[in-house]
Amino acid sequence: MADDVRIIGPERSLQEAAQAMAEIDAGVLPVAEGDRLVGVITDRDIAIRAVARGLPPTTEIGKVMSAEVRYCFSDDDSEDVLENMGDIQVRRLPVLNRDKRLVGIVSITDLAAQGEAMLAGEALGAIGQPSALHSQSL
């Protein structure tokens, strides 16, 4: 799990999000208002929901972010997290403590590197299946 997570506010611009992603070499940023997680913005959200539609770089993140936040808890079993990733077809999840405070982000590759390679492969297979779960249309 990456525990040095940078967050961004929904009122910030897509350009600021892209710059932050470039600085930390990541494809996702949690979006928060105060201490409440309200969404995530991914490089794919920026490309498909903004750039492809001709939105300017000054567009607020809140207009194109994924507002449905899926997450796991820091004390969840890695097998359960991988199964959940496969079920909901995501490669990364914000990690919250039991007080629902953001403490990190876990990726499928983090879990594979921790010795869960076979389960990570199964989850990745499920993630790769065609689905309408994460349609990029607004």
Side-chain angles (χ1 to χ4, degrees), residues 16-37:
E16 290 174 287
Q19 288 170 337
M21 287 179 192
E23 287 171 13
I24 63 172
D25 191 26
V28 63
L29 291 173
V31 181
E33 288 181 323
D35 66 348
R36 192 171 136 254
L37 197 58

mmCIF file of all heavy atoms in Angstrom, residues 16-37:
data_model
loop_
_atom_site.group_PDB
_atom_site.id
_atom_site.type_symbol
_atom_site.label_atom_id
_atom_site.label_comp_id
_atom_site.label_asym_id
_atom_site.label_seq_id
_atom_site.Cartn_x
_atom_site.Cartn_y
_atom_site.Cartn_z
ATOM 1 N N GLU A 16 -4.448 20.852 -12.773
ATOM 2 C CA GLU A 16 -3.775 20.648 -11.486
ATOM 3 C C GLU A 16 -3.728 19.163 -11.126
ATOM 4 O O GLU A 16 -2.718 18.680 -10.611
ATOM 5 C CB GLU A 16 -4.487 21.429 -10.382
ATOM 6 C CG GLU A 16 -4.315 22.930 -10.498
ATOM 7 C CD GLU A 16 -5.157 23.673 -9.484
ATOM 8 O OE1 GLU A 16 -6.394 23.712 -9.660
ATOM 9 O OE2 GLU A 16 -4.570 24.187 -8.509
ATOM 10 N N ALA A 17 -4.816 18.452 -11.400
ATOM 11 C CA ALA A 17 -4.837 17.012 -11.125
ATOM 12 C C ALA A 17 -3.801 16.292 -11.976
ATOM 13 O O ALA A 17 -3.049 15.453 -11.470
ATOM 14 C CB ALA A 17 -6.230 16.437 -11.389
ATOM 15 N N ALA A 18 -3.751 16.620 -13.260
ATOM 16 C CA ALA A 18 -2.789 15.979 -14.155
ATOM 17 C C ALA A 18 -1.356 16.295 -13.729
ATOM 18 O O ALA A 18 -0.484 15.413 -13.755
ATOM 19 C CB ALA A 18 -3.036 16.419 -15.594
ATOM 20 N N GLN A 19 -1.104 17.529 -13.327
ATOM 21 C CA GLN A 19 0.235 17.897 -12.870
ATOM 22 C C GLN A 19 0.613 17.125 -11.604
ATOM 23 O O GLN A 19 1.745 16.649 -11.481
ATOM 24 C CB GLN A 19 0.314 19.402 -12.625
ATOM 25 C CG GLN A 19 0.319 20.216 -13.902
ATOM 26 C CD GLN A 19 0.159 21.709 -13.672
ATOM 27 O OE1 GLN A 19 -0.366 22.143 -12.654
ATOM 28 N NE2 GLN A 19 0.617 22.487 -14.640
ATOM 29 N N ALA A 20 -0.339 16.996 -10.683
ATOM 30 C CA ALA A 20 -0.073 16.241 -9.452
ATOM 31 C C ALA A 20 0.211 14.781 -9.773
ATOM 32 O O ALA A 20 1.136 14.181 -9.221
ATOM 33 C CB ALA A 20 -1.252 16.360 -8.486
ATOM 34 N N MET A 21 -0.559 14.204 -10.700
ATOM 35 C CA MET A 21 -0.329 12.818 -11.097
ATOM 36 C C MET A 21 1.065 12.654 -11.704
ATOM 37 O O MET A 21 1.756 11.671 -11.429
ATOM 38 C CB MET A 21 -1.392 12.357 -12.097
ATOM 39 C CG MET A 21 -2.739 12.132 -11.498
ATOM 40 S SD MET A 21 -3.907 11.630 -12.798
ATOM 41 C CE MET A 21 -5.443 11.792 -11.931
ATOM 42 N N ALA A 22 1.464 13.627 -12.514
ATOM 43 C CA ALA A 22 2.793 13.568 -13.132
ATOM 44 C C ALA A 22 3.892 13.655 -12.069
ATOM 45 O O ALA A 22 4.882 12.918 -12.129
ATOM 46 C CB ALA A 22 2.952 14.690 -14.156
ATOM 47 N N GLU A 23 3.709 14.523 -11.088
ATOM 48 C CA GLU A 23 4.710 14.699 -10.028
ATOM 49 C C GLU A 23 4.903 13.432 -9.201
ATOM 50 O O GLU A 23 6.028 13.115 -8.808
ATOM 51 C CB GLU A 23 4.299 15.837 -9.090
ATOM 52 C CG GLU A 23 4.459 17.212 -9.697
ATOM 53 C CD GLU A 23 3.846 18.300 -8.816
ATOM 54 O OE1 GLU A 23 3.517 18.028 -7.637
ATOM 55 O OE2 GLU A 23 3.689 19.432 -9.324
ATOM 56 N N ILE A 24 3.813 12.734 -8.922
ATOM 57 C CA ILE A 24 3.924 11.548 -8.064
ATOM 58 C C ILE A 24 3.912 10.246 -8.856
ATOM 59 O O ILE A 24 3.943 9.173 -8.268
ATOM 60 C CB ILE A 24 2.822 11.535 -6.980
ATOM 61 C CG1 ILE A 24 1.425 11.438 -7.598
ATOM 62 C CG2 ILE A 24 2.950 12.741 -6.069
ATOM 63 C CD1 ILE A 24 0.313 11.236 -6.579
ATOM 64 N N ASP A 25 3.873 10.359 -10.180
ATOM 65 C CA ASP A 25 3.876 9.201 -11.065
ATOM 66 C C ASP A 25 2.754 8.226 -10.709
ATOM 67 O O ASP A 25 2.982 7.050 -10.423
ATOM 68 C CB ASP A 25 5.235 8.492 -11.024
ATOM 69 C CG ASP A 25 5.368 7.452 -12.129
ATOM 70 O OD1 ASP A 25 4.704 7.594 -13.173
ATOM 71 O OD2 ASP A 25 6.140 6.487 -11.941
ATOM 72 N N ALA A 26 1.520 8.766 -10.692
ATOM 73 C CA ALA A 26 0.351 7.960 -10.364
ATOM 74 C C ALA A 26 -0.763 8.260 -11.354
ATOM 75 O O ALA A 26 -0.785 9.313 -11.973
ATOM 76 C CB ALA A 26 -0.118 8.261 -8.946
ATOM 77 N N GLY A 27 -1.698 7.345 -11.472
ATOM 78 C CA GLY A 27 -2.823 7.519 -12.373
ATOM 79 C C GLY A 27 -4.130 7.781 -11.670
ATOM 80 O O GLY A 27 -5.189 7.788 -12.289
ATOM 81 N N VAL A 28 -4.065 8.027 -10.361
ATOM 82 C CA VAL A 28 -5.290 8.253 -9.589
ATOM 83 C C VAL A 28 -4.994 9.196 -8.429
ATOM 84 O O VAL A 28 -3.907 9.166 -7.850
ATOM 85 C CB VAL A 28 -5.868 6.923 -9.063
ATOM 86 C CG1 VAL A 28 -4.925 6.239 -8.111
ATOM 87 C CG2 VAL A 28 -7.230 7.113 -8.425
ATOM 88 N N LEU A 29 -5.971 10.041 -8.130
ATOM 89 C CA LEU A 29 -5.907 10.899 -6.947
ATOM 90 C C LEU A 29 -7.245 10.822 -6.216
ATOM 91 O O LEU A 29 -8.296 10.983 -6.842
ATOM 92 C CB LEU A 29 -5.674 12.367 -7.335
ATOM 93 C CG LEU A 29 -4.337 12.767 -7.908
ATOM 94 C CD1 LEU A 29 -4.384 14.214 -8.381
ATOM 95 C CD2 LEU A 29 -3.242 12.586 -6.869
ATOM 96 N N PRO A 30 -7.215 10.595 -4.921
ATOM 97 C CA PRO A 30 -8.449 10.696 -4.157
ATOM 98 C C PRO A 30 -8.905 12.161 -4.134
ATOM 99 O O PRO A 30 -8.086 13.074 -4.071
ATOM 100 C CB PRO A 30 -8.055 10.243 -2.751
ATOM 101 C CG PRO A 30 -6.759 9.521 -2.924
ATOM 102 C CD PRO A 30 -6.092 10.146 -4.107
ATOM 103 N N VAL A 31 -10.207 12.367 -4.199
ATOM 104 C CA VAL A 31 -10.776 13.713 -4.156
ATOM 105 C C VAL A 31 -11.496 13.857 -2.822
ATOM 106 O O VAL A 31 -12.326 13.022 -2.470
ATOM 107 C CB VAL A 31 -11.751 13.938 -5.330
ATOM 108 C CG1 VAL A 31 -12.327 15.349 -5.289
ATOM 109 C CG2 VAL A 31 -11.055 13.676 -6.666
ATOM 110 N N ALA A 32 -11.153 14.898 -2.076
ATOM 111 C CA ALA A 32 -11.720 15.072 -0.741
ATOM 112 C C ALA A 32 -12.178 16.506 -0.526
ATOM 113 O O ALA A 32 -11.603 17.451 -1.063
ATOM 114 C CB ALA A 32 -10.694 14.699 0.321
ATOM 115 N N GLU A 33 -13.244 16.615 0.261
ATOM 116 C CA GLU A 33 -13.695 17.898 0.788
ATOM 117 C C GLU A 33 -13.464 17.828 2.282
ATOM 118 O O GLU A 33 -14.095 17.018 2.965
ATOM 119 C CB GLU A 33 -15.177 18.127 0.480
ATOM 120 C CG GLU A 33 -15.444 18.407 -0.977
ATOM 121 C CD GLU A 33 -16.920 18.655 -1.265
ATOM 122 O OE1 GLU A 33 -17.787 17.991 -0.646
ATOM 123 O OE2 GLU A 33 -17.187 19.512 -2.111
ATOM 124 N N GLY A 34 -12.540 18.622 2.763
ATOM 125 C CA GLY A 34 -12.149 18.512 4.166
ATOM 126 C C GLY A 34 -11.540 17.146 4.388
ATOM 127 O O GLY A 34 -10.634 16.727 3.666
ATOM 128 N N ASP A 35 -12.064 16.403 5.353
ATOM 129 C CA ASP A 35 -11.533 15.058 5.608
ATOM 130 C C ASP A 35 -12.451 13.975 5.055
ATOM 131 O O ASP A 35 -12.308 12.811 5.388
ATOM 132 C CB ASP A 35 -11.277 14.852 7.103
ATOM 133 C CG ASP A 35 -12.552 14.848 7.931
ATOM 134 O OD1 ASP A 35 -13.621 15.221 7.393
ATOM 135 O OD2 ASP A 35 -12.484 14.480 9.112
ATOM 136 N N ARG A 36 -13.390 14.360 4.184
ATOM 137 C CA ARG A 36 -14.343 13.392 3.619
ATOM 138 C C ARG A 36 -13.988 13.067 2.180
ATOM 139 O O ARG A 36 -13.880 13.956 1.335
ATOM 140 C CB ARG A 36 -15.755 13.982 3.696
ATOM 141 C CG ARG A 36 -16.822 12.971 3.417
ATOM 142 C CD ARG A 36 -18.212 13.550 3.711
ATOM 143 N NE ARG A 36 -19.062 13.160 2.612
ATOM 144 C CZ ARG A 36 -19.496 13.954 1.648
ATOM 145 N NH1 ARG A 36 -19.196 15.224 1.657
ATOM 146 N NH2 ARG A 36 -20.242 13.494 0.684
ATOM 147 N N LEU A 37 -13.802 11.799 1.898
ATOM 148 C CA LEU A 37 -13.519 11.324 0.547
ATOM 149 C C LEU A 37 -14.804 11.412 -0.272
ATOM 150 O O LEU A 37 -15.824 10.835 0.099
ATOM 151 C CB LEU A 37 -13.015 9.880 0.619
ATOM 152 C CG LEU A 37 -12.301 9.300 -0.574
ATOM 153 C CD1 LEU A 37 -11.076 10.112 -0.950
ATOM 154 C CD2 LEU A 37 -11.905 7.863 -0.278
#
